[in-house]
Amino acid sequence: MGILSGLFHSRDKPTNSTNGSGYRFFLGQSTSGKPVNERSAMQMTAVYACVRILSEAIAGLPVHLYQYREGGSKEKALKHPLYRILHDEPNPEMTSFVFRETAMSHLLLWGNSYSQIIRNGKGEVVALYPLMPNRMTVDRDDMGHLYYQYQVQDSDTPTMKDGTVILKPSDVLHIPGLGFDGLVGYSPIAMAKNAIGMAIACEEYGAKFFANGATPGGILEHPGTVKDPARVRDSWNAAFGGSGNANKVAVLEEGMKYTPISISPEQAQFLETRKFQIDEIARIFRVPPHMVGDLEKSSFSNIEQQSLEFVKYTLEPWIVRWEQAINRALLSEKEKESYFVKFNVDGLLRGDYESRMNGYATARQNGWMSANDIRELENLDRIPAELGGDLYLINGNMTKLQDAGIFAGKEETENEEVLELDESDSNGDGTGAADSHAERHHRRGKLV
């Protein structure tokens, strides 16, 4: 008991993760001097592109509730009330696509996705409403049990009132990202704030560079004494500052001379720095560079392979998080024995038309796909069963190794029986010879 009480006490108020927003101490000022948080990071085109790509990919995948049948097969549980909630409409205000897109964007920016589970009197799930992660706190009570504390605002779900609401774990669909305790995930934006802050600084520098007419700094030299230098500087900026005044011809009076002191963006490797930061952000989210517009190292031959790797190594871990979290939170203990949720990624793995047809032909000829199985994958109408749409066929010239030569063995056995019959007739008085002769021919005909 001492060990268990110590365990619960140590995890009751951890310093950085179980407390839902504890990771936020990582956010704030970056080493580049630019403040970084989830919303400012989304103003970076690379971050916005990565979040949008992953959110739309998860939201666009078909999601189904399946039920096991006898023999190990499965079928869609179309009559289960949870099927429509996941596949079509989680709540009266959102489609399934919008709900999953919103939840996935929370997961990518804050490292956690929270949704309130609404149940009826039977305990069945009737609706799911997304909750803002930055207003959710996950903690433990004195008994070591988890609870969720949410700060409600007017714009939130209509099932809650203003103030602080305490939710039980059974009332929250929580999908955590990568974390240190397995309960609450860390924000990728917080962990990569320096890389994102540098990208923001580079973008701001480029904007100011062109705002200053591509000549961001210089010195106006006067051979004498300038009585009002501020007026001269303001007059110069008014005439030649801004991108609209770029390349204007300056007229200098009284022996004044202009000396630029800035260096070109190429000399400062400005463009290379910006490009590297885009690759850095794509690396954070594990998104192939060609998907965020960087085609420098992409070609016709390797983009298809990169797209397959995107599904396997980027999307699949997120999909598993979603599936297991939904199975854990939305299915009862009894339902978990026969129901499960599955995302269908076949659409993302589809090859070109010729490759698909060759694959279908192999599957059809080897008997592990029927015509209707193939037509369903191609979104075609089923062939009626009486016309053979559900038949599983194989090539007739294939047989098991241990059955090789079995027909030859049968033929030899039957030939021996015919010879024995001939010998028995020759030893008799000849009666019934015509019948035995006809029977022998009949047997030989069957052998042929």
Side-chain angles (χ1 to χ4, degrees):
M1 288 298 294
I3 296 177
L4 292 177
S5 62
L7 175 63
F8 284 131
H9 179 72
S10 63
R11 299 185 69 179
D12 186 20
K13 288 188 178 298
T15 58
N16 57 8
S17 62
T18 304
N19 192 358
S21 58
Y23 66 81
R24 294 179 63 82
F25 70 87
F26 285 111
L27 292 171
Q29 204 78 1
S30 62
T31 53
S32 64
K34 300 300 176 183
V36 177
N37 56 47
E38 292 85 359
R39 287 182 170 83
S40 65
M42 280 290 282
Q43 296 179 355
M44 274 296 304
T45 56
V47 175
Y48 182 87
C50 290
V51 172
R52 181 179 179 182
I53 288 169
L54 292 173
S55 298
E56 291 179 347
I58 294 296
L61 291 176
V63 56
H64 302 286
L65 179 68
Y66 291 96
Q67 182 179 13
Y68 289 113
R69 296 186 300 185
E70 294 183 2
S73 61
K74 65 181 186 297
E75 65 179 354
K76 295 178 183 178
L78 300 177
K79 296 183 179 180
H80 195 287
L82 186 59
Y83 184 92
R84 182 175 178 273
I85 292 175
L86 295 175
H87 187 268
D88 300 316
E89 191 174 310
N91 60 68
E93 301 173 351
M94 300 178 186
T95 63
S96 178
F97 183 96
V98 172
F99 171 79
R100 284 182 280 154
E101 182 184 43
T102 302
M104 188 63 188
S105 65
H106 291 173
L107 189 54
L108 294 168
L109 293 172
W110 281 274
N112 296 275
S113 171
Y114 303 98
S115 299
Q116 186 188 11
I117 304 173
I118 309 299
R119 303 179 187 269
N120 59 16
K122 298 180 182 180
E124 298 173 340
V125 179
V126 296
L128 296 171
Y129 286 92
L131 304 174
M132 289 300 297
N134 59 332
R135 287 189 267 125
M136 180 70 78
T137 300
V138 185
D139 215 331
R140 293 185 182 273
D141 59 19
D142 296 336
M143 299 298 295
H145 299 148
L146 286 174
Y147 67 90
Y148 295 80
Q149 183 174 330
Y150 188 68
Q151 299 294 328
V152 185
Q153 295 182 357
D154 295 337
S155 60
D156 285 329
T157 168
T159 59
M160 293 183 178
K161 298 180 179 179
D162 292 347
T164 301
V165 176
I166 303 299
L167 298 171
K168 298 180 295 184
S170 59
D171 295 329
V172 178
L173 172 59
H174 179 197
I175 307 175
L178 177 64
F180 291 163
D181 63 356
L183 299 176
V184 177
Y186 278 157
S187 165
I189 304 300
M191 291 300 184
K193 69 172 184 178
N194 289 329
I196 297 175
M198 185 173 179
I200 294 175
C202 289
E203 188 175 69
E204 183 176 326
Y205 170 81
K208 289 183 177 180
F209 179 85
F210 289 101
N212 289 327
T215 54
I219 299 175
L220 284 173
E221 300 182 49
H222 193 279
T225 301
V226 179
K227 297 180 180 180
D228 191 354
R231 182 181 62 82
V232 176
R233 181 178 61 250
D234 293 341
S235 176
W236 177 271
N237 289 334
F240 304 106
S243 58
N245 296 323
N247 300 320
K248 277 189 174 181
V249 178
V251 178
L252 304 179
E253 300 177 329
E254 299 179 358
M256 293 183 66
K257 179 181 178 183
Y258 176 76
T259 305
I261 60 173
S262 60
I263 59 177
S264 67
E266 289 78 13
Q267 291 173 331
Q269 294 186 340
F270 166 66
L271 296 179
E272 287 79 1
T273 301
R274 286 208 64 191
K275 180 181 179 302
F276 177 79
Q277 291 309 116
I278 293 176
D279 292 341
E280 190 84 344
I281 293 172
R283 185 180 299 116
I284 295 169
F285 292 98
R286 204 187 295 169
V287 173
H290 77 271
M291 300 189 74
V292 294
D294 183 6
L295 300 176
E296 181 180 353
K297 297 182 180 179
S298 299
S299 64
F300 178 80
S301 60
N302 65 11
I303 279 187
E304 182 178 1
Q305 183 62 33
Q306 291 184 56
S307 299
L308 295 176
E309 291 179 355
F310 170 72
V311 176
K312 181 174 180 60
Y313 299 112
T314 302
L315 285 185
E316 186 173 350
W318 292 114
I319 291 172
V320 173
R321 290 180 190 274
W322 272 84
E323 291 174 346
Q324 294 186 356
I326 291 174
N327 291 332
R328 182 188 63 83
L330 303 185
L331 295 175
S332 65
E333 292 300 322
K334 184 177 180 180
E335 289 176 331
K336 292 177 183 178
E337 298 177 0
S338 55
Y339 292 93
F340 67 97
V341 173
K342 192 73 175 175
F343 285 80
N344 188 353
V345 298
D346 291 342
L348 297 178
L349 298 175
R350 290 165 63 95
D352 57 81
Y353 184 82
E354 182 180 0
S355 299
R356 297 201 311 274
M357 294 304 109
N358 291 335
Y360 293 150
T362 302
R364 177 75 164 146
Q365 294 169 8
N366 287 278
W368 54 274
M369 291 187 76
S370 67
N372 283 335
D373 293 337
I374 297 172
R375 293 179 68 85
E376 286 185 2
L377 293 177
E378 290 295 316
N379 198 26
L380 299 173
D381 294 336
R382 294 174 60 87
I383 298 175
E386 56 270 17
L387 297 180
D390 294 324
L391 292 178
Y392 292 88
L393 309 175
I394 60 172
N395 286 324
N397 60 349
M398 299 179 66
T399 185
K400 294 185 293 184
L401 180 62
Q402 58 266 33
D403 294 338
I406 187 171
F407 296 105
K410 288 183 178 180
E411 183 177 357
E412 292 176 359
T413 303
E414 293 184 3
N415 285 333
E416 291 177 357
E417 293 177 356
V418 171
L419 292 175
E420 291 176 358
L421 183 59
D422 290 340
E423 292 177 356
S424 63
D425 289 340
S426 63
N427 293 330
D429 56 0
T431 59
D435 293 338
S436 62
H437 182 72
E439 184 177 355
R440 288 197 298 272
H441 277 285
H442 177 65
R443 289 182 179 179
R444 290 194 182 98
K446 288 200 300 182
L447 294 179
V448 175

